[in-house]
Amino acid sequence: MPWSADEKASFLRMQFDAQHTWYREQYAGAAFDVVLVEGEPVGRLYVDRGETEIRIVDIALLPLHRGGGIGSSLLHDLFAEADAAGKRVTIHVERMNPALRLYERLGFSVAEDEGGVYLFLERPARPT
């Protein structure tokens, strides 16, 4: 877009605020965390811990920090927590998201496919 840097920043802030507001309304008890590496913010992890599942509401890493094991490490920590509590881990993911391969490799499978943009994935609890 032929916008100024200020206009782009304003647009992105409005998008973030709208998304974050929706997340807070839908997942009022969720944890909304910034992912840090050596004290520097590199992403975010939003997690809702329910009675029977741990829902990954959103997980995102800056492009420079993808593919280096950070996401896998975060997911493995959630798996350990879920397994200890006997809960499944769930996430919605876009069909074309390259991270879909990672999720499948880590044990997620399609729980619901309504033919839209998103797939609903789950990883069942595994006894510890």
Side-chain angles (χ1 to χ4, degrees):
M1 298 296 298
W3 294 349
S4 71
D6 286 344
E7 290 169 321
K8 289 176 187 177
S10 177
F11 177 76
L12 291 174
R13 172 54 59 193
M14 284 188 300
Q15 279 190 318
F16 174 83
D17 289 344
Q19 183 185 54
H20 191 68
T21 297
W22 189 87
Y23 284 156
R24 286 234 179 251
E25 289 170 358
Q26 300 302 310
Y27 303 100
F32 298 92
D33 297 316
V34 174
V35 177
L36 301 174
V37 172
E38 298 179 8
E40 294 296 318
V42 300
R44 66 183 184 186
L45 177 63
Y46 294 175
V47 177
D48 187 56
R49 291 166 173 86
E51 290 290 320
T52 62
E53 73 179 298
I54 293 179
R55 169 74 55 94
I56 301 168
V57 176
D58 194 13
I59 181 171
L61 297 172
L62 294 172
L64 288 174
H65 297 278
R66 295 178 191 155
I70 297 168
S72 293
S73 178
L74 293 168
L75 292 170
H76 283 292
D77 289 348
L78 289 173
F79 295 162
E81 177 185 342
D83 292 346
K87 297 179 182 182
R88 67 185 185 147
V89 179
T90 60
I91 186 171
H92 280 96
V93 63
E94 290 181 351
R95 292 176 180 278
M96 303 306 289
N97 186 333
L100 181 57
R101 290 187 309 276
L102 170 66
Y103 299 138
E104 290 170 341
R105 217 173 34 248
L106 294 177
F108 282 94
S109 61
V110 176
E112 293 178 26
D113 180 355
E114 297 179 4
V117 174
Y118 293 94
L119 296 169
F120 183 63
L121 306 180
E122 74 174 340
R123 179 199 173 267
R126 297 183 180 158
T128 55

